[in-house]
Coordinates of all heavy atoms in Angstrom, one line a residue:
M1 N -289.2 27.8 -11.5 CA -287.9 27.2 -11.7 C -286.8 28.3 -11.8 O -287.0 29.4 -12.4 CB -287.9 26.4 -13.0 CG -286.9 25.3 -13.0 SD -286.9 24.4 -14.6 CE -285.4 25.0 -15.3
T2 N -285.8 28.1 -11.0 CA -284.7 29.2 -11.1 C -283.8 29.0 -12.3 O -283.6 27.8 -12.8 CB -283.9 29.1 -9.8 OG1 -283.4 27.8 -9.6 CG2 -284.7 29.5 -8.6
Q3 N -283.3 30.0 -12.7 CA -282.4 30.0 -13.9 C -281.1 29.3 -13.5 O -280.4 29.7 -12.5 CB -282.1 31.5 -14.2 CG -280.9 31.7 -15.0 CD -281.1 31.6 -16.5 OE1 -282.0 32.3 -17.0 NE2 -280.4 30.8 -17.2
P4 N -280.7 28.2 -14.3 CA -279.4 27.6 -14.0 C -278.3 28.6 -14.4 O -278.4 29.3 -15.3 CB -279.4 26.4 -14.9 CG -280.8 26.3 -15.5 CD -281.4 27.6 -15.3
V5 N -277.3 28.6 -13.6 CA -276.1 29.4 -13.8 C -274.9 28.6 -14.0 O -274.8 27.5 -13.4 CB -275.9 30.5 -12.7 CG1 -277.1 31.5 -12.7 CG2 -275.7 29.8 -11.4
P6 N -273.9 29.0 -14.7 CA -272.6 28.3 -14.9 C -271.9 28.2 -13.5 O -271.7 29.2 -12.9 CB -271.8 29.0 -15.9 CG -272.8 29.9 -16.6 CD -273.8 30.3 -15.6
R7 N -271.6 27.0 -13.1 CA -270.7 26.8 -11.9 C -269.3 26.9 -12.3 O -268.5 27.4 -11.5 CB -271.0 25.4 -11.4 CG -272.2 25.2 -10.6 CD -271.9 25.2 -9.1 NE -273.1 25.0 -8.3 CZ -273.9 26.0 -8.0 NH1 -273.5 27.2 -8.3 NH2 -275.0 25.8 -7.3
S8 N -268.9 26.4 -13.5 CA -267.6 26.5 -13.9 C -267.5 26.4 -15.4 O -268.4 25.9 -16.1 CB -266.7 25.3 -13.4 OG -267.1 24.1 -13.9
I9 N -266.5 27.1 -16.0 CA -266.3 27.1 -17.4 C -264.9 26.6 -17.7 O -264.0 27.2 -17.1 CB -266.6 28.5 -18.0 CG1 -268.0 28.9 -17.8 CG2 -266.3 28.5 -19.5 CD1 -268.3 30.3 -18.2
R10 N -264.8 25.6 -18.5 CA -263.5 25.0 -18.7 C -263.1 25.1 -20.2 O -264.0 25.0 -21.0 CB -263.6 23.5 -18.3 CG -262.3 22.8 -18.2 CD -262.5 21.5 -17.4 NE -263.2 20.5 -18.2 CZ -262.7 19.7 -19.1 NH1 -261.4 19.7 -19.3 NH2 -263.4 18.8 -19.8
R11 N -261.9 25.4 -20.4 CA -261.4 25.5 -21.8 C -261.1 24.1 -22.3 O -260.4 23.4 -21.7 CB -260.2 26.4 -21.9 CG -259.9 27.0 -23.2 CD -258.7 27.8 -23.1 NE -258.9 29.1 -22.5 CZ -259.2 30.2 -23.2 NH1 -259.4 30.1 -24.5 NH2 -259.4 31.4 -22.7
L12 N -261.6 23.8 -23.5 CA -261.3 22.5 -24.1 C -260.1 22.6 -25.1 O -259.8 23.7 -25.6 CB -262.5 22.0 -24.9 CG -263.8 21.8 -24.0 CD1 -265.0 21.4 -24.9 CD2 -263.6 20.7 -23.0
E13 N -259.5 21.4 -25.3 CA -258.3 21.4 -26.2 C -258.6 22.0 -27.6 O -257.7 22.6 -28.1 CB -257.8 20.0 -26.3 CG -256.7 19.7 -25.2 CD -256.4 18.2 -25.1 OE1 -256.2 17.7 -26.2 OE2 -256.2 17.7 -24.0
Q14 N -259.7 21.7 -28.1 CA -260.0 22.1 -29.5 C -260.4 23.6 -29.6 O -260.8 24.1 -30.6 CB -261.1 21.3 -30.1 CG -260.9 19.8 -30.1 CD -261.3 19.1 -28.8 OE1 -261.7 19.8 -27.9 NE2 -261.1 17.8 -28.8
G15 N -260.2 24.3 -28.5 CA -260.5 25.7 -28.5 C -261.9 26.1 -28.1 O -262.3 27.2 -28.1
G16 N -262.7 25.1 -27.8 CA -264.1 25.3 -27.3 C -264.1 25.4 -25.8 O -263.1 25.6 -25.1
I17 N -265.3 25.4 -25.2 CA -265.5 25.5 -23.8 C -266.5 24.5 -23.3 O -267.3 24.0 -24.1 CB -266.0 26.9 -23.3 CG1 -267.2 27.3 -24.1 CG2 -264.9 27.9 -23.4 CD1 -268.0 28.4 -23.5
E18 N -266.4 24.1 -22.1 CA -267.3 23.2 -21.4 C -267.9 23.9 -20.2 O -267.1 24.4 -19.4 CB -266.6 21.9 -21.0 CG -267.6 20.9 -20.5 CD -266.8 19.7 -20.0 OE1 -266.3 19.8 -18.8 OE2 -266.8 18.7 -20.7
V19 N -269.2 24.0 -20.2 CA -269.9 24.7 -19.1 C -270.5 23.7 -18.2 O -271.3 22.9 -18.6 CB -270.9 25.7 -19.6 CG1 -271.6 26.4 -18.4 CG2 -270.2 26.8 -20.5
A20 N -270.2 23.7 -16.9 CA -270.9 22.9 -15.9 C -272.0 23.8 -15.2 O -271.7 24.9 -14.7 CB -270.0 22.4 -14.8
W21 N -273.3 23.5 -15.4 CA -274.4 24.3 -14.9 C -274.8 23.9 -13.5 O -274.6 22.8 -13.1 CB -275.6 24.2 -15.9 CG -275.3 24.7 -17.2 CD1 -274.7 24.0 -18.3 CD2 -275.5 26.0 -17.7 NE1 -274.6 24.9 -19.4 CE2 -275.1 26.1 -19.0 CE3 -276.1 27.2 -17.1 CZ2 -275.2 27.3 -19.8 CZ3 -276.2 28.3 -17.9 CH2 -275.7 28.4 -19.2
S22 N -275.4 24.8 -12.9 CA -275.8 24.6 -11.5 C -276.9 23.5 -11.3 O -277.0 23.0 -10.2 CB -276.3 25.9 -10.9 OG -277.4 26.5 -11.6
D23 N -277.6 23.2 -12.4 CA -278.6 22.1 -12.3 C -278.0 20.7 -12.6 O -278.7 19.7 -12.7 CB -279.8 22.4 -13.1 CG -279.4 22.4 -14.6 OD1 -278.2 22.4 -14.9 OD2 -280.3 22.5 -15.4
G24 N -276.6 20.7 -12.8 CA -276.0 19.4 -13.0 C -275.7 19.1 -14.5 O -274.9 18.2 -14.8
A25 N -276.3 19.9 -15.4 CA -276.0 19.7 -16.8 C -274.6 20.1 -17.1 O -274.1 21.1 -16.6 CB -277.0 20.5 -17.6
V26 N -274.0 19.4 -18.0 CA -272.7 19.8 -18.5 C -272.8 19.9 -20.1 O -273.2 18.9 -20.7 CB -271.6 18.8 -18.1 CG1 -270.2 19.1 -18.8 CG2 -271.4 18.7 -16.6
A27 N -272.3 21.0 -20.6 CA -272.5 21.2 -22.1 C -271.2 21.7 -22.7 O -270.5 22.5 -22.1 CB -273.6 22.1 -22.4
A28 N -270.8 21.0 -23.8 CA -269.6 21.5 -24.5 C -270.1 22.4 -25.7 O -271.1 22.1 -26.3 CB -268.8 20.3 -25.0
Y29 N -269.3 23.4 -25.9 CA -269.6 24.3 -27.0 C -268.4 24.4 -27.9 O -267.3 24.8 -27.4 CB -270.0 25.7 -26.5 CG -271.1 25.7 -25.5 CD1 -271.0 25.5 -24.2 CD2 -272.4 26.0 -26.0 CE1 -272.0 25.5 -23.3 CE2 -273.5 26.0 -25.1 CZ -273.3 25.8 -23.8 OH -274.4 25.8 -22.9
S30 N -268.5 24.2 -29.2 CA -267.4 24.4 -30.1 C -267.4 25.9 -30.5 O -268.4 26.6 -30.5 CB -267.5 23.6 -31.4 OG -268.5 24.1 -32.2
P31 N -266.2 26.4 -30.8 CA -266.1 27.8 -31.2 C -266.9 28.1 -32.4 O -267.6 29.2 -32.5 CB -264.6 28.0 -31.5 CG -263.9 26.8 -30.9 CD -264.9 25.7 -30.8
R32 N -267.0 27.2 -33.3 CA -267.8 27.4 -34.5 C -269.3 27.6 -34.2 O -270.0 28.4 -34.7 CB -267.5 26.3 -35.5 CG -268.3 26.4 -36.9 CD -268.1 27.7 -37.6 NE -266.8 28.0 -37.9 CZ -266.4 29.3 -38.3 NH1 -267.3 30.2 -38.4 NH2 -265.1 29.5 -38.6
L33 N -269.8 26.7 -33.3 CA -271.2 26.7 -33.0 C -271.5 28.1 -32.4 O -272.5 28.8 -32.8 CB -271.5 25.7 -31.9 CG -272.9 25.8 -31.3 CD1 -273.9 25.1 -32.1 CD2 -272.9 25.2 -29.9
L34 N -270.7 28.6 -31.4 CA -270.9 29.8 -30.8 C -270.8 31.0 -31.8 O -271.6 31.9 -31.7 CB -270.0 30.0 -29.6 CG -270.2 29.1 -28.4 CD1 -269.1 29.2 -27.4 CD2 -271.6 29.4 -27.8
R35 N -269.8 30.9 -32.6 CA -269.5 32.0 -33.6 C -270.7 32.1 -34.5 O -271.1 33.2 -34.8 CB -268.2 31.7 -34.3 CG -267.7 32.8 -35.2 CD -267.4 34.1 -34.5 NE -266.9 35.1 -35.4 CZ -267.7 35.9 -36.1 NH1 -269.0 35.8 -36.0 NH2 -267.2 36.8 -36.9
D36 N -271.1 31.0 -35.1 CA -272.3 31.0 -36.0 C -273.5 31.5 -35.4 O -274.5 31.9 -36.0 CB -272.5 29.6 -36.6 CG -271.4 29.3 -37.6 OD1 -270.6 30.2 -38.0 OD2 -271.2 28.1 -38.0
A37 N -273.6 31.3 -34.1 CA -274.8 31.7 -33.3 C -274.7 33.1 -32.7 O -275.5 33.5 -31.9 CB -275.2 30.7 -32.2
C38 N -273.7 33.8 -33.1 CA -273.4 35.1 -32.5 C -274.7 36.0 -32.6 O -275.2 36.2 -33.7 CB -272.2 35.8 -33.1 SG -271.9 37.4 -32.5
P39 N -275.1 36.5 -31.4 CA -276.4 37.2 -31.4 C -276.2 38.7 -31.7 O -277.2 39.5 -31.6 CB -276.9 37.0 -30.0 CG -275.7 36.8 -29.2 CD -274.6 36.2 -30.1
C40 N -275.1 39.2 -32.0 CA -274.9 40.7 -32.2 C -275.6 41.1 -33.5 O -275.9 40.2 -34.4 CB -273.4 41.1 -32.2 SG -272.6 40.9 -33.8
A41 N -275.9 42.3 -33.6 CA -276.7 42.8 -34.7 C -276.1 42.5 -36.1 O -276.8 42.1 -37.1 CB -277.0 44.3 -34.6
T42 N -274.8 42.7 -36.2 CA -274.1 42.5 -37.5 C -274.2 41.1 -37.9 O -274.5 40.8 -39.1 CB -272.6 42.8 -37.3 OG1 -272.5 44.1 -36.7 CG2 -271.9 42.8 -38.6
C43 N -274.0 40.1 -37.0 CA -274.1 38.7 -37.4 C -275.5 38.3 -37.8 O -275.7 37.5 -38.7 CB -273.5 37.8 -36.3 SG -271.7 38.0 -36.1
R44 N -276.5 38.8 -37.0 CA -277.8 38.5 -37.3 C -278.2 38.9 -38.7 O -278.9 38.2 -39.4 CB -278.8 39.1 -36.2 CG -278.8 38.3 -35.0 CD -280.2 38.6 -34.2 NE -280.5 40.0 -34.2 CZ -280.3 40.8 -33.2 NH1 -279.8 40.3 -32.1 NH2 -280.6 42.1 -33.3
E45 N -277.8 40.1 -39.0 CA -278.1 40.7 -40.4 C -277.4 39.8 -41.4 O -278.1 39.5 -42.5 CB -277.5 42.1 -40.5 CG -278.5 43.1 -40.9 CD -278.0 44.5 -40.6 OE1 -277.1 44.9 -41.3 OE2 -278.5 45.1 -39.6
Q46 N -276.2 39.4 -41.2 CA -275.5 38.6 -42.2 C -276.2 37.2 -42.4 O -276.2 36.7 -43.5 CB -274.1 38.3 -41.8 CG -273.2 39.5 -42.1 CD -271.7 39.3 -41.6 OE1 -271.4 38.3 -41.1 NE2 -270.9 40.4 -41.7
R47 N -276.8 36.7 -41.4 CA -277.5 35.4 -41.5 C -278.8 35.6 -42.3 O -279.2 34.7 -43.0 CB -277.7 34.8 -40.1 CG -276.5 34.2 -39.6 CD -276.8 33.2 -38.4 NE -277.3 33.9 -37.3 CZ -276.5 34.3 -36.3 NH1 -275.3 34.2 -36.4 NH2 -277.1 34.9 -35.3
V48 N -279.4 36.7 -42.1 CA -280.7 36.9 -42.8 C -280.4 37.2 -44.3 O -281.1 36.7 -45.2 CB -281.5 38.1 -42.2 CG1 -282.7 38.4 -43.0 CG2 -281.9 37.7 -40.8
V49 N -279.4 38.1 -44.6 CA -279.1 38.4 -45.9 C -277.7 38.0 -46.2 O -276.7 38.7 -45.9 CB -279.2 40.0 -46.1 CG1 -278.9 40.3 -47.6 CG2 -280.5 40.5 -45.6
P50 N -277.6 36.7 -46.8 CA -276.2 36.2 -47.0 C -275.5 37.1 -48.0 O -276.1 37.6 -49.0 CB -276.5 34.8 -47.6 CG -277.9 34.5 -47.4 CD -278.6 35.8 -47.2
A51 N -274.2 37.3 -47.8 CA -273.4 38.1 -48.8 C -273.5 37.6 -50.2 O -273.6 36.4 -50.4 CB -272.0 38.1 -48.3
A52 N -273.6 38.5 -51.1 CA -273.7 38.1 -52.5 C -272.5 37.2 -52.9 O -271.4 37.6 -52.6 CB -273.8 39.3 -53.4
P53 N -272.7 36.1 -53.6 CA -271.6 35.2 -53.9 C -270.8 35.6 -55.2 O -270.0 34.9 -55.6 CB -272.3 33.9 -54.1 CG -273.6 34.2 -54.6 CD -274.0 35.6 -54.1
A54 N -271.1 36.8 -55.7 CA -270.4 37.2 -56.9 C -268.9 37.3 -56.8 O -268.2 37.0 -57.7 CB -271.0 38.5 -57.4
L55 N -268.5 37.8 -55.6 CA -267.0 37.9 -55.4 C -266.6 36.9 -54.4 O -267.3 36.7 -53.4 CB -266.7 39.3 -54.9 CG -266.6 40.5 -55.9 CD1 -266.5 41.8 -55.1 CD2 -265.5 40.3 -56.8
L56 N -265.4 36.3 -54.7 CA -264.9 35.4 -53.6 C -264.3 36.2 -52.5 O -263.5 37.1 -52.8 CB -263.8 34.5 -54.3 CG -264.4 33.3 -55.1 CD1 -263.2 32.6 -55.7 CD2 -265.2 32.4 -54.3
P57 N -264.7 35.9 -51.3 CA -264.1 36.7 -50.2 C -262.6 36.4 -50.1 O -262.2 35.3 -50.2 CB -264.8 36.3 -49.0 CG -265.4 34.9 -49.3 CD -265.6 34.9 -50.8
V58 N -261.8 37.4 -49.8 CA -260.4 37.2 -49.5 C -260.3 37.1 -48.0 O -260.6 38.1 -47.3 CB -259.5 38.3 -50.1 CG1 -258.1 38.1 -49.7 CG2 -259.7 38.4 -51.6
L59 N -259.9 36.0 -47.5 CA -259.9 35.8 -46.1 C -258.6 36.4 -45.5 O -257.5 36.3 -46.0 CB -260.0 34.3 -45.7 CG -261.3 33.6 -46.2 CD1 -261.2 32.1 -45.9 CD2 -262.5 34.2 -45.4
R60 N -258.8 37.0 -44.3 CA -257.7 37.5 -43.6 C -257.0 36.3 -42.8 O -257.7 35.3 -42.6 CB -258.1 38.6 -42.6 CG -258.5 39.9 -43.2 CD -259.2 40.8 -42.2 NE -260.5 40.3 -41.8 CZ -261.0 40.4 -40.6 NH1 -260.4 41.1 -39.7 NH2 -262.2 39.9 -40.3
P61 N -255.8 36.4 -42.5 CA -255.1 35.3 -41.8 C -255.8 34.8 -40.6 O -255.9 33.6 -40.3 CB -253.7 35.9 -41.4 CG -253.5 37.0 -42.3 CD -254.9 37.5 -42.7
E62 N -256.4 35.7 -39.8 CA -257.1 35.3 -38.6 C -258.4 34.6 -38.9 O -259.0 33.9 -38.0 CB -257.4 36.5 -37.7 CG -258.2 37.6 -38.2 CD -257.4 38.7 -38.9 OE1 -256.3 38.4 -39.5 OE2 -257.8 39.9 -38.9
E63 N -258.9 34.7 -40.1 CA -260.1 34.0 -40.5 C -259.8 32.6 -41.0 O -260.7 31.7 -41.0 CB -260.9 34.7 -41.6 CG -261.5 36.0 -41.1 CD -262.2 36.8 -42.3 OE1 -261.5 37.0 -43.3 OE2 -263.3 37.2 -42.1
V64 N -258.6 32.3 -41.4 CA -258.1 31.0 -41.9 C -257.7 30.2 -40.7 O -257.9 28.9 -40.7 CB -257.0 31.2 -43.0 CG1 -256.6 29.8 -43.4 CG2 -257.5 32.0 -44.1
A65 N -257.0 30.8 -39.7 CA -256.6 30.0 -38.6 C -257.7 29.4 -37.9 O -258.8 29.9 -37.9 CB -255.8 31.0 -37.6
P66 N -257.5 28.2 -37.2 CA -258.6 27.6 -36.5 C -259.2 28.5 -35.5 O -258.5 29.2 -34.8 CB -257.9 26.4 -35.8 CG -256.6 26.2 -36.4 CD -256.2 27.6 -37.1
L67 N -260.5 28.5 -35.5 CA -261.2 29.4 -34.6 C -261.2 28.9 -33.2 O -261.4 27.7 -32.9 CB -262.7 29.5 -35.1 CG -263.6 30.5 -34.3 CD1 -263.2 31.9 -34.7 CD2 -265.1 30.2 -34.7
T68 N -260.9 29.8 -32.3 CA -260.9 29.4 -30.9 C -261.6 30.5 -30.1 O -261.8 31.6 -30.6 CB -259.5 29.2 -30.2 OG1 -258.8 30.5 -30.3 CG2 -258.7 28.1 -30.9
I69 N -262.0 30.2 -28.9 CA -262.6 31.2 -28.0 C -261.5 31.8 -27.2 O -260.8 31.2 -26.5 CB -263.6 30.5 -27.1 CG1 -264.8 30.1 -27.9 CG2 -264.1 31.5 -26.0 CD1 -265.7 29.1 -27.2
A70 N -261.3 33.1 -27.4 CA -260.2 33.8 -26.8 C -260.5 34.2 -25.4 O -259.6 34.3 -24.6 CB -259.8 35.1 -27.7
G71 N -261.8 34.4 -25.1 CA -262.1 34.8 -23.7 C -263.6 35.0 -23.5 O -264.3 35.1 -24.5
M72 N -264.0 34.9 -22.3 CA -265.4 35.1 -21.9 C -265.4 36.1 -20.7 O -264.7 35.9 -19.8 CB -266.0 33.8 -21.5 CG -266.4 32.9 -22.6 SD -267.2 31.4 -22.1 CE -268.9 31.9 -21.7
Q73 N -266.4 37.0 -20.9 CA -266.4 38.0 -19.8 C -267.9 38.1 -19.4 O -268.8 38.2 -20.2 CB -266.1 39.4 -20.5 CG -265.9 40.5 -19.6 CD -264.5 40.5 -19.0 OE1 -263.6 40.1 -19.6 NE2 -264.4 41.0 -17.8
P74 N -268.1 38.0 -18.1 CA -269.5 38.1 -17.6 C -270.0 39.5 -17.9 O -269.3 40.5 -17.8 CB -269.4 37.9 -16.1 CG -268.0 37.5 -15.8 CD -267.1 37.8 -17.0
V75 N -271.3 39.6 -18.3 CA -272.0 40.8 -18.5 C -273.2 40.8 -17.6 O -274.2 40.1 -17.8 CB -272.4 41.0 -20.0 CG1 -273.2 42.3 -20.2 CG2 -271.2 40.9 -20.9
G76 N -273.1 41.6 -16.5 CA -274.1 41.5 -15.6 C -274.2 40.2 -15.0 O -273.2 39.4 -14.9
Q77 N -275.4 39.7 -14.5 CA -275.5 38.4 -13.9 C -275.9 37.3 -14.8 O -275.7 36.2 -14.5 CB -276.6 38.6 -12.8 CG -276.3 39.6 -11.7 CD -276.3 38.9 -10.4 OE1 -275.9 37.8 -10.2 NE2 -276.9 39.6 -9.4
Y78 N -276.5 37.7 -16.0 CA -277.1 36.7 -16.8 C -276.6 36.6 -18.2 O -277.3 36.1 -19.1 CB -278.6 36.9 -16.7 CG -279.2 36.8 -15.3 CD1 -279.6 37.9 -14.6 CD2 -279.3 35.6 -14.7 CE1 -280.1 37.9 -13.3 CE2 -279.8 35.5 -13.4 CZ -280.2 36.6 -12.7 OH -280.6 36.5 -11.5
A79 N -275.4 37.1 -18.4 CA -274.9 37.0 -19.8 C -273.4 37.0 -19.8 O -272.8 37.4 -18.9 CB -275.5 38.1 -20.6
Y80 N -272.9 36.5 -20.9 CA -271.4 36.6 -21.2 C -271.2 37.2 -22.5 O -271.9 36.9 -23.5 CB -270.8 35.2 -21.2 CG -270.6 34.6 -19.8 CD1 -271.7 33.9 -19.1 CD2 -269.4 34.7 -19.1 CE1 -271.5 33.4 -17.9 CE2 -269.3 34.2 -17.8 CZ -270.3 33.6 -17.2 OH -270.1 33.0 -16.0
S81 N -270.1 38.0 -22.6 CA -269.7 38.3 -23.9 C -268.5 37.4 -24.3 O -267.7 37.0 -23.4 CB -269.2 39.8 -24.0 OG -267.9 39.9 -23.5
I82 N -268.5 36.9 -25.5 CA -267.5 35.9 -25.9 C -266.6 36.6 -27.0 O -267.1 37.1 -28.0 CB -268.1 34.6 -26.4 CG1 -269.0 34.0 -25.3 CG2 -267.1 33.7 -26.9 CD1 -269.7 32.7 -25.7
A83 N -265.3 36.5 -26.7 CA -264.3 37.0 -27.7 C -263.7 35.8 -28.5 O -263.3 34.8 -27.9 CB -263.2 37.8 -27.0
F84 N -263.7 35.9 -29.8 CA -263.2 34.8 -30.6 C -261.8 35.2 -31.2 O -261.5 36.4 -31.3 CB -264.2 34.5 -31.8 CG -265.5 34.0 -31.3 CD1 -266.6 34.9 -31.1 CD2 -265.7 32.7 -31.1 CE1 -267.8 34.4 -30.6 CE2 -266.9 32.2 -30.6 CZ -268.0 33.1 -30.4
S85 N -261.1 34.1 -31.6 CA -259.8 34.4 -32.1 C -259.8 35.1 -33.4 O -258.7 35.6 -33.8 CB -259.0 33.0 -32.3 OG -259.8 32.2 -33.1
D86 N -260.9 35.2 -34.1 CA -260.9 36.0 -35.3 C -261.1 37.5 -35.1 O -261.3 38.3 -36.0 CB -262.0 35.5 -36.3 CG -263.4 35.6 -35.7 OD1 -263.6 36.1 -34.6 OD2 -264.4 35.2 -36.4
G87 N -261.1 37.9 -33.8 CA -261.2 39.3 -33.5 C -262.6 39.8 -33.1 O -262.8 40.9 -32.7
H88 N -263.6 38.9 -33.4 CA -265.0 39.3 -33.1 C -265.4 39.1 -31.7 O -265.1 38.1 -31.1 CB -265.9 38.4 -34.0 CG -267.3 39.0 -34.1 ND1 -267.6 40.2 -34.7 CD2 -268.5 38.5 -33.6 CE1 -268.9 40.4 -34.6 NE2 -269.5 39.4 -33.9
S89 N -266.0 40.1 -31.1 CA -266.3 40.0 -29.6 C -267.5 40.8 -29.3 O -267.7 41.1 -28.1 CB -265.1 40.5 -28.8 OG -264.9 41.9 -29.1
S90 N -268.4 41.1 -30.2 CA -269.5 42.0 -29.9 C -270.8 41.2 -29.5 O -271.8 41.8 -29.2 CB -269.8 43.0 -31.0 OG -269.7 42.4 -32.2
G91 N -270.7 39.9 -29.5 CA -271.9 39.1 -29.2 C -272.1 39.0 -27.7 O -271.1 38.7 -26.9
I92 N -273.3 39.2 -27.2 CA -273.6 39.0 -25.8 C -274.5 37.8 -25.7 O -275.7 37.8 -26.2 CB -274.4 40.2 -25.2 CG1 -273.6 41.5 -25.4 CG2 -274.7 40.0 -23.7 CD1 -272.4 41.7 -24.6
Y93 N -274.1 36.7 -25.1 CA -274.8 35.5 -25.0 C -275.5 35.4 -23.6 O -274.8 35.3 -22.6 CB -273.8 34.3 -25.1 CG -273.2 34.2 -26.5 CD1 -272.2 35.2 -26.8 CD2 -273.5 33.3 -27.4 CE1 -271.6 35.1 -28.1 CE2 -272.9 33.2 -28.7 CZ -271.9 34.1 -29.0 OH -271.4 34.1 -30.2
T94 N -276.8 35.5 -23.6 CA -277.5 35.3 -22.3 C -277.4 33.9 -21.8 O -277.1 33.0 -22.7 CB -278.9 35.7 -22.4 OG1 -279.6 34.8 -23.3 CG2 -279.1 37.1 -22.9
L95 N -277.6 33.6 -20.6 CA -277.5 32.3 -20.1 C -278.6 31.4 -20.7 O -278.4 30.3 -21.0 CB -277.6 32.3 -18.5 CG -276.5 33.0 -17.8 CD1 -276.7 32.8 -16.3 CD2 -275.2 32.4 -18.2
D96 N -279.8 32.0 -20.9 CA -280.9 31.3 -21.6 C -280.4 30.8 -22.9 O -280.7 29.7 -23.3 CB -282.1 32.3 -21.8 CG -283.0 32.2 -20.6 OD1 -282.8 31.3 -19.7 OD2 -283.9 33.1 -20.5
Y97 N -279.8 31.7 -23.7 CA -279.3 31.4 -25.0 C -278.3 30.3 -25.0 O -278.3 29.4 -25.8 CB -278.8 32.7 -25.7 CG -278.6 32.6 -27.1 CD1 -279.5 32.0 -28.0 CD2 -277.4 33.1 -27.7 CE1 -279.3 31.9 -29.4 CE2 -277.2 33.0 -29.1 CZ -278.1 32.4 -29.9 OH -277.9 32.3 -31.2
L98 N -277.4 30.4 -24.1 CA -276.3 29.4 -24.0 C -276.9 28.0 -23.7 O -276.5 27.0 -24.2 CB -275.3 29.7 -22.9 CG -274.3 30.9 -23.3 CD1 -273.5 31.3 -22.1 CD2 -273.4 30.4 -24.4
R99 N -278.0 28.0 -22.9 CA -278.7 26.7 -22.6 C -279.3 26.2 -23.8 O -279.3 25.0 -24.1 CB -279.7 27.0 -21.5 CG -279.1 27.1 -20.1 CD -278.5 25.9 -19.6 NE -279.5 24.8 -19.3 CZ -279.4 23.9 -18.4 NH1 -278.3 23.9 -17.6 NH2 -280.3 23.0 -18.2
E100 N -279.9 27.1 -24.6 CA -280.6 26.7 -25.8 C -279.6 26.1 -26.8 O -279.8 25.1 -27.4 CB -281.2 28.0 -26.4 CG -282.3 27.8 -27.3 CD -282.7 29.2 -27.9 OE1 -283.1 30.1 -27.0 OE2 -282.7 29.4 -29.1
L101 N -278.4 26.7 -26.9 CA -277.4 26.2 -27.8 C -276.8 24.9 -27.3 O -276.3 24.1 -28.1 CB -276.2 27.3 -27.9 CG -276.6 28.6 -28.6 CD1 -275.4 29.6 -28.4 CD2 -276.9 28.3 -30.0
A102 N -276.9 24.6 -26.0 CA -276.4 23.4 -25.5 C -277.1 22.2 -26.1 O -276.6 21.1 -26.3 CB -276.5 23.4 -24.0
G103 N -278.4 22.4 -26.5 CA -279.2 21.3 -27.0 C -279.1 21.3 -28.5 O -279.7 20.4 -29.2
A104 N -278.3 22.2 -29.2 CA -278.3 22.3 -30.6 C -277.4 21.2 -31.2 O -276.5 20.7 -30.5 CB -277.7 23.7 -31.0
Ligands
LIG1 ZN1 -271.5 38.9 -34.0

């Protein structure tokens, strides 16, 4: 089976994206879903070891504003880096991973 690739990526009104895949599947992704699933080393670590709840975090303005996807950049043939409105952009999402998240 060949790897499905995105035919088109459309920005949704709520700040998410909709990907039309080459095999006909269409999947919508909310910014929160993608942000929470960020595969970069920093985010993976944070998910394994949750921050100690002793101190209340002071949120920066960009963390309080509604999260949106600021941009997507192809990385090679089989991955995208996604930049979020909170300034985070180090996650590289492979096409396999995006397909996996589509069913989440
Ligand atoms: Zn990350």
Side-chain angles (χ1 to χ4, degrees):
M1 208 180 104
T2 55
Q3 159 88 56
V5 294
R7 281 254 182 275
S8 69
I9 298 174
R10 193 164 71 86
R11 201 180 282 271
L12 299 174
E13 268 170 40
Q14 303 85 356
I17 51 165
E18 185 185 78
V19 178
W21 295 87
S22 55
D23 63 353
V26 176
Y29 302 86
S30 74
R32 179 51 60 191
L33 170 86
L34 291 171
R35 184 66 178 81
D36 287 345
C38 179
C40 86
T42 308
C43 291
R44 278 205 317 259
E45 234 164 73
Q46 277 175 7
R47 282 197 293 271
V48 174
V49 186
L55 280 174
L56 283 175
V58 178
L59 296 174
R60 289 170 292 149
E62 60 268 32
E63 289 176 312
V64 178
L67 184 72
T68 61
I69 292 164
M72 280 179 82
Q73 190 82 31
V75 178
Q77 299 237 39
Y78 298 105
Y80 281 87
S81 81
I82 299 179
F84 295 92
S85 57
D86 65 358
H88 194 68
S89 63
S90 40
I92 306 286
Y93 297 71
T94 62
L95 296 183
D96 272 347
Y97 191 47
L98 285 171
R99 287 290 293 212
E100 204 182 300
L101 291 173

